[in-house]
Amino acid sequence: MKRRRLKKILLAFLALFVLIQFIPVNRSVPDFDATHDFLTSMHAPPAIAKSIQSSCYDCHSYTTRYPWYGYVAPVSWFLNKHIHEGREHLNFSTLSSQKKKRVLHAMEEAHEEVLEGGMPLRGYTLMHKDARLSQAEREEMAEWFEKTYISLGGDPNELEEEGEHEEHEH
Ligand code: HEC
């Protein structure tokens, strides 16, 4: 009797799992001009560009590479949510056509997130070894965000405050 009930429950779960695969997940991106990519237009050094692409682009650009489990619900729902949220905050595919103030803010935030270890998201680096950053890579990447921020006319004092803040924490 008990076993039959268990079997029924398992079958119900299986049916549910199969059914949710039919709920559409929007992986499409709007038309965008790949030649306006931020790293390209800012002439990022190849090593930095490669590092940002492999650590950030899946969530912060229109050139997302979906892993196989990105097609399996319900994982695909959470993954897609992260991608859409990530792009809302920062999208390297469209950043170069954004207002300067927005670009400066993005560079400031990116500098901070990378130095403090907030980005790339931890769950993501568990599954993506190539997205993991060493301390040296973090510093190099943060330095490039800082350089870009300053070259676009950002106030370096704003970034320095974060540096001081960091020292207090350690
Ligand atoms: C797995 C997806 C994912 C990856 C990979 C990722 N991010 Fe994010 N990022 C997000 C999400 C989701 C948010 C918005 C929610 C949050 O702040 O946690 C975000 C927010 C941000 C913000 C805005 C923070 C703020 O407070 O405004 C910056 C800047 C950022 N990410 C930079 C980066 C950089 C730089 C990398 C690569 C080193 C990176 N992210 C990698 C998903 C990701």
Side-chain angles (χ1 to χ4, degrees):
M1 191 65 190
K2 247 186 161 178
R3 266 187 79 171
R4 270 184 63 186
R5 218 162 127 198
L6 185 66
K7 208 171 152 190
K8 262 191 184 165
I9 293 171
L10 283 177
L11 276 175
F13 266 108
L14 188 66
L16 189 68
F17 177 76
V18 171
L19 272 176
I20 62 173
Q21 304 310 319
F22 292 96
I23 299 174
V25 171
N26 185 10
R27 289 184 204 85
S28 67
V29 295
D31 268 336
F32 71 102
D33 188 343
T35 61
H36 287 177
D37 172 82
F38 188 70
L39 297 173
T40 313
S41 46
M42 295 308 298
H43 305 289
I48 295 283
K50 192 166 169 258
S51 176
I52 296 177
Q53 275 158 356
S54 49
S55 301
C56 319
Y57 265 47
D58 280 345
C59 304
H60 292 293
S61 82
Y62 283 142
T63 54
T64 303
R65 303 158 300 172
Y66 288 89
W68 65 265
Y69 51 84
Y71 293 90
V72 183
V75 177
S76 55
W77 303 344
F78 298 111
L79 210 122
N80 222 40
K81 191 163 174 278
H82 268 156
I83 294 168
H84 284 270
E85 267 178 32
R87 285 181 191 147
E88 259 173 45
H89 280 82
L90 169 65
N91 187 339
F92 287 106
S93 301
T94 56
L95 192 61
S96 57
S97 51
Q98 302 273 323
K99 290 217 175 75
K100 197 171 134 190
K101 205 176 147 197
R102 179 110 201 243
V103 181
L104 286 178
H105 183 69
M107 290 301 100
E108 198 186 324
E109 292 289 341
H111 173 261
E112 184 182 331
E113 291 291 342
V114 168
L115 267 191
E116 291 181 354
M119 290 285 153
L121 287 182
R122 207 166 290 272
Y124 175 79
T125 50
L126 280 178
M127 304 299 281
H128 295 81
K129 282 201 183 118
D130 66 331
R132 288 180 201 164
L133 297 171
S134 66
Q135 189 54 32
E137 283 169 327
R138 278 190 189 282
E139 282 164 17
E140 266 174 66
M141 196 187 285
E143 198 183 315
W144 185 76
F145 285 133
E146 180 180 352
K147 262 195 211 157
T148 309
Y149 174 82
I150 292 169
S151 77
L152 291 170
D155 178 1
N157 289 324
E158 303 248 339
L159 293 178
E160 265 162 29
E161 270 169 37
E162 276 158 26
E164 281 162 23
H165 171 71
E166 262 241 317
E167 271 165 35
H168 287 305
E169 275 183 349
H170 287 282

